[in-house]
Amino acid sequence: MANNLALSVKDLKTFFYTNKRCNKAVNGVSFDIKKGKTLGIVGESGCGKSVTASTIMQLLPKLSRIEEGSVTYYSDNGEIRIDQLERDGPEMRAIRGEEIAMIFQDPMTALNPVYTVGYQIEESLKYHTDLNPAERKARVIELLADMGIPLPEKRATEYPHNYSGGMRQRAMIAMAMSCNPKVLIADEPTTALDVTIQAQIFNLMTKLKTENDTAIMLITHDMGVIAELADEVAVMYMGNIVEAGTVDDVLRRPQHPYTRALLDSIPVLGRGKDQDIKSIRGATPDPYERPIGCQFAPRCDFATEACNVMPDEEFLSDTHRVSCARYKEIFENA
Amino acid sequence: MLTFILRRLLITIPMLVAISFLVYLGLELTPGDAVSHMINPEVANSISPEQLAEMREALGLNKSFFERFSIWLFNVVQGNFGHSLSGGVAISTIVLDRLPATLELSIFALLFSTVIGCSLGVISALKRGSPTDSALTVIGMLGVSIPEFFFGLVAILIFALNLGWLPAGGRLLPGYDSFFDRLPHIILPGIVLSLMMTAGVMRYSRSAMLDSLSREFIRTARSKGLPEWRINLIHGFRVALTPVVVLIGFRLPTLIGGSVVIESVFQWPGVGSELIDAVRGSDYPLVMMIALLSVFAVLLASLIVDILTALIDPRVRLG
Ligand SMILES: Nc1ncnc2c1ncn2[C@@H]1O[C@H](COP(=O)(O)OP(=O)(O)OP(=O)(O)O)[C@@H](O)[C@H]1O
Ligand SMILES: [Mg+2]
């Protein structure tokens, strides 16, 4: 079964310890990413999307740690339990950049200002390939050209401050793709960019996915982006995945009240300005004082006593799963 | 880059002229003029006022202030700094004679404080919160708050008088002037002179390094699978270097000022100890010229620092 999987996360818990208080930022998350497919992860700010991504790359800050669960990477030479590797040890370093690469939210700060873009891309090649310096230079130029950057020979010798935001993000993607990783983690790659550039970046990612069979984990809070790009989607709320499935499952037949509220809160193009956009009432709870049961219960219109215990995950089909005590009743009423 | 240097030079010139003007004004305000210093007090009474006026005329002293200033400035630019009052030796000769010792001491102190200060700062930042870090922080606080001459005296007491490891003063003994003969002499004064600067550089490079390590490009570098030393030094320290070089530039004047004290504590035959002698002997022209030259040294140093900053930070080069 595992041979079409690229990465699998099981019951992952990552906690932060600050001032002797514990923030269960990721509290039991499971998902698989398949080769050549895109898994979208959506959720409000602070729900643990970035922490999940950092956990997979072992890029967590010092005051946090993997509490439980597993992260398994299916390499060509067998399974690797990433959660059991030493944080910055040689095995982990061999995976970073070469097997699993990451693109960050803000291209303005993610590149080192004192080195040329070409140098920073070349650095990855130096540590993960046997290419000689001349071959590396040629490969950098080829990568920049692939990303649609004009005059790549000249651009490679320029510094990040000579690049526009969109071009920096392309350079970041070039860097991430330089060693043909099997998994690409994109943490809100276009949040800092305008809409036309956003479309170009997504076209680029789709092209890479089909050409290189890269598995993509796409983090976003934009349901529209999910509908466009993802094959599967996981909806996160306060450190849990509340609903997951194929894009059809989740967007067409949403089961969890949170997923529905999320879908109701986005305007639909063409429906005019009188459309009924509902914002979700209340605010996300204090991450240090989380509700005991269903995390969404305090804001949920359908919450009852049954919601005071953490709901089990139930499968509606092979692909579609939901964690809600009352989804059956609510669904009938709707 | 060349236009950057030229523009920077153009800013420096008016500053130099303004400071020379202040120095000249200072010379003018000192009691007496050249003629009164040329005459032996014992024969002063036998010289008639007419003779004095003639001498002044011959020296151009009755010209207007600005005329005299321009003539003086013209001479200074050509390296003609006038004469010392004691013995009438040309000031340029005195300075040229003393300069190598001072340069030797300052460059040693500069190199020591840069290399040791940066290394300790980086170690402190990388081991943040460890006993090493706390110890270095305390040492750094002491270093910036205790005056240098105190360190100088304590160092002489311990390392020269009690332990006898190093000479207490002087620069070289006649006949012993190979590099290894000279090295023991410079160690005490050089290190003492650089202590305050070393402590400053250490504290500053620690915080610059911590700042740079918390930036996002460090996470990017780590996500590429680079080894830790490369992340810390090639990415972290390289970015922290710019503010540290700027700080060193700002602190250079204290090094030049400090050398006056340290040179006299260690009887180092440099420009600084000459300055102290000149002040004691009320040799105003010599004092003023040494002051002017130190200002010049500070300006030159800050010019070099600016060029260095532009070289190491690609974002400055455009500006
Ligand atoms: N470096 C950190 N130190 C302490 N707590 C952190 C840190 N990073 C994240 N957290 C906490 O972990 C939780 C999840 O944060 P995370 O950054 O994963 O959210 P996110 O879903 O990525 O949000 P966004 O959409 O705003 O990026 C939050 O409660 C946050 O306060
Ligand atoms: Mg995030």
Side-chain angles (χ1 to χ4, degrees), chain A residues 19-32:
Chain A
N19 301 328
K20 300 211 178 85
R21 298 208 299 166
C22 174
N23 178 357
K24 301 179 177 178
V26 173
N27 196 7
V29 159
S30 307
F31 57 84
D32 296 324

Side-chain angles (χ1 to χ4, degrees), chain A residues 63-133:
Chain A
L63 36 101
S64 55
R65 68 161 187 257
I66 302 178
E67 210 71 21
E68 265 179 45
S70 66
V71 178
T72 313
Y73 169 66
Y74 299 93
S75 79
D76 292 342
N77 312 318
E79 300 177 12
I80 300 175
R81 281 286 296 274
I82 288 181
D83 54 300
Q84 291 174 348
L85 298 180
E86 189 195 334
R87 255 190 202 189
D88 297 318
E91 296 101 336
M92 196 61 233
R93 292 205 308 267
I95 291 178
R96 286 180 192 151
E98 185 170 346
E99 310 278 333
I100 308 177
M102 192 159 174
I103 316 171
F104 298 96
Q105 182 163 350
D106 190 355
M108 294 307 188
T109 52
L111 290 166
N112 190 325
V114 304
Y115 292 112
T116 62
V117 171
Y119 178 87
Q120 296 186 56
I121 299 175
E122 208 187 316
E123 240 183 348
S124 292
L125 297 171
K126 190 170 161 189
Y127 280 89
H128 298 299
T129 65
D130 310 323
L131 301 179
N132 67 33

Side-chain angles (χ1 to χ4, degrees), chain A residues 21-274:
Chain A
R21 298 208 299 166
C22 174
N23 178 357
K24 301 179 177 178
V26 173
N27 196 7
V29 159
S30 307
F31 57 84
D32 296 324
I33 310 178
K34 300 191 180 75
K35 286 182 182 151
K37 299 278 185 221
T38 301
L39 169 71
I41 301 215
V42 272
E44 274 170 291
S45 198
C47 67
K49 306 183 295 287
S50 299
V51 173
T52 309
S54 306
T55 308
I56 296 174
M57 290 288 269
Q58 291 246 52
L59 290 173
L60 291 167
K62 285 211 173 61
L63 36 101
S64 55
R65 68 161 187 257
I66 302 178
E67 210 71 21
E68 265 179 45
S70 66
V71 178
T72 313
Y73 169 66
Y74 299 93
S75 79
D76 292 342
N77 312 318
E79 300 177 12
I80 300 175
R81 281 286 296 274
I82 288 181
D83 54 300
Q84 291 174 348
L85 298 180
E86 189 195 334
R87 255 190 202 189
D88 297 318
E91 296 101 336
M92 196 61 233
R93 292 205 308 267
I95 291 178
R96 286 180 192 151
E98 185 170 346
E99 310 278 333
I100 308 177
M102 192 159 174
I103 316 171
F104 298 96
Q105 182 163 350
D106 190 355
M108 294 307 188
T109 52
L111 290 166
N112 190 325
V114 304
Y115 292 112
T116 62
V117 171
Y119 178 87
Q120 296 186 56
I121 299 175
E122 208 187 316
E123 240 183 348
S124 292
L125 297 171
K126 190 170 161 189
Y127 280 89
H128 298 299
T129 65
D130 310 323
L131 301 179
N132 67 33
E135 292 167 334
R136 291 205 294 262
K137 290 238 153 46
R139 174 89 178 114
V140 166
I141 290 166
E142 187 189 321
L143 279 161
L144 288 175
D146 283 351
M147 297 304 137
I149 290 181
L151 302 172
E153 290 88 355
K154 180 169 163 287
R155 286 298 186 171
T157 62
E158 289 182 351
Y159 292 89
H161 70 263
N162 303 122
Y163 279 54
S164 69
M167 285 218 297
R168 286 189 209 189
Q169 198 58 296
R170 283 160 196 257
M172 277 297 298
I173 299 178
M175 195 151 90
M177 296 308 294
S178 59
C179 307
N180 293 318
K182 307 280 183 322
V183 180
L184 177 67
I185 301 175
D187 189 354
E188 307 195 28
T190 57
T191 309
L193 306 175
D194 69 55
V195 188
T196 43
I197 312 261
Q198 183 170 337
Q200 293 170 359
I201 299 283
F202 284 141
N203 286 340
L204 207 58
M205 285 174 53
T206 315
K207 191 175 132 216
L208 293 171
K209 180 177 83 167
T210 44
E211 281 175 9
N212 302 348
D213 210 25
T214 313
I216 298 180
M217 173 173 160
L218 176 66
I219 296 176
T220 175
H221 41 233
D222 186 341
M223 278 292 191
V225 169
I226 296 288
E228 282 286 316
L229 284 169
D231 302 296
E232 287 174 74
V233 55
V235 181
M236 271 187 90
Y237 185 78
M238 292 296 285
N240 300 113
I241 290 182
V242 293
E243 183 165 3
T246 62
V247 169
D248 261 5
D249 289 339
V250 176
L251 298 194
R252 287 185 199 277
R253 294 176 293 278
Q255 298 297 315
H256 198 283
Y258 177 66
T259 316
R260 293 185 182 199
L262 214 55
L263 288 169
D264 282 342
S265 66
I266 39 172
V268 177
L269 203 64
R271 244 191 243 167
K273 56 184 169 226
D274 298 328

Side-chain angles (χ1 to χ4, degrees), chain B residues 2-203:
Chain B
L2 203 65
T3 51
F4 172 85
I5 297 175
L6 282 178
R7 202 160 13 161
R8 190 60 187 64
L9 269 176
L10 281 181
I11 305 172
T12 312
I13 290 169
M15 276 160 77
L16 271 178
V17 173
I19 288 158
S20 324
F21 180 77
L22 288 179
V23 167
Y24 189 74
L25 197 66
L27 275 176
E28 279 288 313
L29 295 176
T30 57
D33 62 15
V35 171
S36 59
H37 289 296
M38 282 162 75
I39 297 163
N40 189 337
E42 281 156 32
V43 293
N45 290 337
S46 62
I47 296 173
S48 70
E50 289 77 30
Q51 273 177 304
L52 280 179
E54 239 169 73
M55 283 173 82
R56 293 211 160 96
E57 172 92 52
L59 288 170
L61 287 178
N62 53 355
K63 294 207 173 85
S64 80
F65 176 78
F66 285 100
E67 247 176 302
R68 277 177 290 136
F69 172 64
S70 8
I71 294 170
W72 174 82
L73 190 62
F74 188 66
N75 277 325
V76 167
V77 169
Q78 290 180 317
N80 180 2
F81 296 162
H83 294 268
S84 144
L85 294 183
S86 53
V89 186
I91 292 177
S92 50
T93 316
I94 298 179
V95 169
L96 279 183
D97 193 37
R98 296 294 193 118
L99 201 58
T102 296
L103 282 182
E104 187 178 298
L105 186 64
S106 323
I107 289 173
F108 179 91
L110 181 64
L111 288 180
F112 184 89
S113 55
T114 306
V115 173
I116 304 294
C118 283
S119 316
L120 292 180
V122 168
I123 291 173
S124 206
L126 291 179
K127 300 195 177 256
R128 182 188 192 177
S130 70
T132 320
D133 180 30
S134 320
L136 284 174
T137 305
V138 172
I139 294 173
M141 302 267 274
L142 290 178
V144 292
S145 49
I146 296 177
E148 285 164 338
F149 72 86
F150 178 77
F151 278 127
L153 296 175
V154 172
I156 291 179
L157 199 66
I158 297 177
F159 296 105
L161 302 183
N162 284 354
L163 298 172
W165 289 351
L166 294 164
R171 184 178 172 218
L172 30 107
L173 300 169
Y176 294 88
D177 56 359
S178 78
F179 176 77
F180 289 104
D181 291 331
R182 299 162 78 148
L183 192 62
H185 286 272
I186 201 166
I187 289 179
L188 277 189
I191 290 181
V192 169
L193 173 59
S194 73
L195 274 184
M196 210 176 248
M197 180 111 154
T198 309
V201 171
M202 179 180 94
R203 277 158 49 112

